[in-house]
Amino acid sequence: MLNQSYIDDPIVRGNARASLIDGMWYSVMVGLTNPFFGVLAIKLGANDYLVGLLASLPALVAMLSQLPGAAYTNRFARYLEPVIRSAWAYRVFYLVFAVIPFINVRGVSRAWLFVILLAVSNLPGTVCGVAWTALMGKLFPSSIRGTLFGERNMASSLVTLVATAVAGVWLDVVRFPYNYSSLYVISFGCLMASLYYLAKLREEPSAPDLRVPPTPAPRAVAEPPAPRGRGLQTLRSHPRFLAFTTASFVFHLGLNLPAAVFTILFVRLLHLPQSWIGAFSTLSGVTAVLTYKAWGRVADRRGNLWVLVASTAGFAALILLYAASGSPYWISALMLAGGAAGAGFTLALFNGLLDATPHDGRATYVAIFNTLMGATGFLTPILGVFLLDRIGLAAVFTIAAAVRVVGVVLYWRGMRASGSA
């Protein structure tokens, strides 16, 4: 177990341990299934545009369910209750996914069923994500979030990469559809173990900042929602949140544009076996594991925006190099570099969002942020497939790089404005 002696409060330390184990069990599922969603869809009969919908349709459901999820979360005095309810509903879908490959229908019907159900599962998954993010902001003070979530993400990434490495070989060795079905059954079991530790979290009314003397906490009450009916005026009253969200929205446009193109590149253009696709995720995970703690320390020392600028600049440069992807060995080298950039980006985006959101109505502001990011995930993957057919792979990656650079500049401006530079 990772060292958490830097956390003085026993309740916060116990929550950190439970959250760590929850994340590790959840990450087994991530490693066993997420890298192979697109491959399974193709095996079920999906064409290129349905592969694009595999990325876009779940993002659409996630986008539309963010604000209802925040409204649902804000009905509760304690965030943990909606987290557990929605987490259970989301996890049941993995038993359904295990059955889909055995359904006896013709054409692309099974592929459509898989894509639609994967999208529907994002409804409870999104509610859980909104409530969980608000819960983490409540349980853990900002003074330790960088180190804490650096350790959590490092451990989770280690589990993910091991699971992905095993899954890639398993999918090539075991006959279809038993290979995929068995992975989803195992994933469901791991998700239930994750849910057990998630339920062990102790939610106090508020988590004390460990840099200042603790004060008696008031009784838990439902967090008030963000002010309604004022639209952009509400967002303008929180310029830090508005600037962070704008930069993130632009960068996510460039980040998600080639999302479906990668699956088409690996499966249809390079004809790579599933073990190679699993190896890519494993290699990316290796460098993520090795760099999460370092990113966390840097974030605590220099700020989350500094980490965002550094990591997103790396993403902007790397996407151009994928245009020359003709060999799995070249892609492997890029995956190693991308894992390090991804670790910094994932950590700093999460902590940066918690820092930028007002305490009052945090769940609602998280939902607004996630809705906008979800809009990019819905629109741009299909656009990426459309552009691939018309202007080619290199042009798609070049456009993605240019949009990412604009996002980097906006993050950099936010860093300068905050005095972190």
Side-chain angles (χ1 to χ4, degrees):
M1 193 63 60
L2 296 175
N3 177 26
Q4 293 174 337
S5 59
Y6 60 91
I7 304 176
D8 296 327
D9 188 287
I11 294 177
V12 177
R13 188 165 58 248
N15 283 338
R17 181 179 183 277
S19 182
L20 173 67
I21 301 175
D22 153 46
M24 292 172 70
W25 277 113
Y26 186 90
S27 295
V28 177
M29 176 278 293
V30 173
L32 293 180
T33 63
N34 284 21
F36 308 103
F37 280 151
V39 182
L40 175 58
I42 290 173
K43 285 187 171 293
L44 294 175
N47 56 28
D48 286 356
Y49 281 95
L50 191 51
V51 172
L53 277 177
L54 181 68
S56 293
L57 201 56
L60 174 63
V61 173
M63 178 184 67
L64 296 177
S65 54
Q66 290 288 339
L67 289 173
Y72 174 73
T73 298
N74 283 327
R75 291 170 50 195
F76 295 86
R78 301 168 73 87
Y79 288 136
L80 187 59
E81 187 173 348
V83 168
I84 297 298
R85 291 184 180 187
S86 54
W88 166 254
Y90 170 73
R91 283 152 167 76
V92 170
F93 276 91
Y94 280 79
L95 283 181
V96 180
F97 297 152
V99 177
I100 291 176
F102 292 98
I103 298 176
N104 187 20
V105 291
R106 295 180 180 275
V108 299
S109 299
R110 287 187 302 175
W112 270 107
L113 182 62
F114 175 63
V115 171
I116 290 171
L117 287 178
L118 186 64
V120 172
S121 73
N122 272 257
L123 176 58
T126 298
V127 175
C128 183
V130 170
W132 182 85
T133 301
L135 177 64
M136 293 301 102
K138 188 176 181 181
L139 294 185
F140 304 114
S142 59
S143 56
I144 64 168
R145 282 190 206 133
T147 300
L148 172 60
F149 284 99
E151 290 186 346
R152 187 183 190 275
N153 291 354
M154 182 188 73
S156 297
S157 294
L158 178 60
V159 172
T160 298
L161 71 90
V162 172
T164 300
V166 172
V169 176
W170 178 263
L171 291 174
D172 281 340
V173 171
V174 179
R175 184 163 60 95
F176 181 83
Y178 301 101
N179 50 359
Y180 279 95
S181 182
S182 60
L183 289 184
Y184 282 110
V185 171
I186 294 170
S187 294
F188 176 76
C190 294
L191 287 172
M192 289 299 99
S194 162
L195 188 62
Y196 171 78
Y197 282 97
L198 192 61
K200 290 175 72 69
L201 292 172
R202 293 179 58 186
E203 183 178 359
E204 298 298 316
S206 62
D209 193 317
L210 302 187
R211 295 171 296 185
V212 299
T215 56
R219 295 182 59 189
V221 294
E223 186 175 270
R228 297 180 181 180
R230 292 189 293 164
L232 287 176
Q233 182 180 349
T234 298
L235 297 182
R236 287 176 185 145
S237 66
H238 298 286
R240 185 180 182 189
F241 174 76
L242 182 60
F244 183 83
T245 301
T246 301
S248 298
F249 178 80
V250 173
F251 184 80
H252 275 80
L253 287 173
L255 186 68
N256 290 321
L257 182 67
V261 174
F262 279 115
T263 299
I264 296 169
L265 169 66
F266 297 158
V267 178
R268 296 208 193 279
L269 301 182
L270 298 180
H271 306 287
L272 297 177
Q274 291 157 113
S275 55
W276 262 114
I277 297 173
F280 294 154
S281 294
T282 301
L283 290 170
S284 176
V286 167
T287 49
V289 167
L290 295 175
T291 56
Y292 262 127
K293 287 189 72 172
W295 282 121
R297 288 193 294 267
V298 172
D300 283 342
R301 186 171 63 251
R302 304 199 61 174
N304 291 300
L305 282 175
W306 191 95
V307 174
L308 276 173
V309 170
S311 59
T312 52
F315 270 131
L318 284 172
I319 190 64
L320 287 175
L321 299 177
Y322 274 100
S325 300
S327 162
Y329 300 101
W330 174 255
I331 297 173
S332 296
L334 297 180
M335 287 289 177
L336 285 170
F345 177 69
T346 301
L347 178 68
L349 187 72
F350 176 77
N351 287 327
L353 174 60
L354 292 180
D355 289 342
T357 49
H359 291 291
D360 290 340
R362 172 172 274 155
T364 303
Y365 284 95
V366 168
I368 292 171
F369 179 88
N370 288 341
T371 298
L372 291 171
M373 301 313 111
T376 70
F378 165 61
L379 297 171
T380 54
I382 291 293
L383 177 60
V385 174
F386 176 82
L387 293 174
L388 176 66
D389 287 343
R390 280 149 181 83
I391 60 178
L393 188 74
V396 173
F397 286 160
T398 301
I399 293 171
V403 177
R404 292 180 187 190
V405 167
V406 176
V408 174
V409 171
L410 292 175
Y411 278 132
W412 178 80
R413 289 179 61 185
M415 182 180 69
R416 293 292 299 272
S418 67
S420 301

